[in-house]
Amino acid sequence: MLLMIPFFAFLMGLILGYAPVRACRSDVTWGYAGLLVALGGWVLFKEITVPGLDGVIYTLVGLFVVTPSLIATLIGAGVANLRPREMC
């Protein structure tokens, strides 16, 4: 059950990386990637400053949600740019 969270984060990243770039809306993809980077920075800050078990929870959120989604977004955008398409 725990592996479903990174899988859906990865799938959402792939979809939000691929579909907007193919529809000539790359600003949506890069906005989403920027939000993920900001979320990752916030999670990193919180895991450093919060002691105890809460810091571990922030680490797990960073590892299982932010990282797979960011990697998949970049992969999806790269694949969308590889395929030839009409000019936007």
Side-chain angles (χ1 to χ4, degrees):
M1 185 67 184
L2 184 63
L3 291 177
M4 296 301 287
I5 296 170
F7 174 73
F8 283 124
F10 191 85
L11 185 65
M12 187 174 73
L14 275 179
I15 291 170
L16 286 174
Y18 181 81
V21 172
R22 291 297 295 173
C24 298
R25 292 294 312 268
S26 62
D27 55 336
V28 174
T29 297
W30 302 121
Y32 177 68
L35 285 174
L36 284 174
V37 168
L39 179 64
W42 179 77
V43 165
L44 183 65
F45 170 74
K46 291 299 280 186
E47 76 182 45
I48 291 171
T49 58
V50 174
L53 189 60
D54 291 338
V56 174
I57 299 299
Y58 285 117
T59 303
L60 293 176
V61 167
L63 287 176
F64 288 134
V65 176
V66 175
T67 305
S69 188
L70 185 60
I71 291 170
T73 301
L74 297 176
I75 289 171
V79 169
N81 282 324
L82 288 178
R83 296 186 53 203
R85 64 178 187 272
E86 297 175 8
M87 296 302 290
C88 299

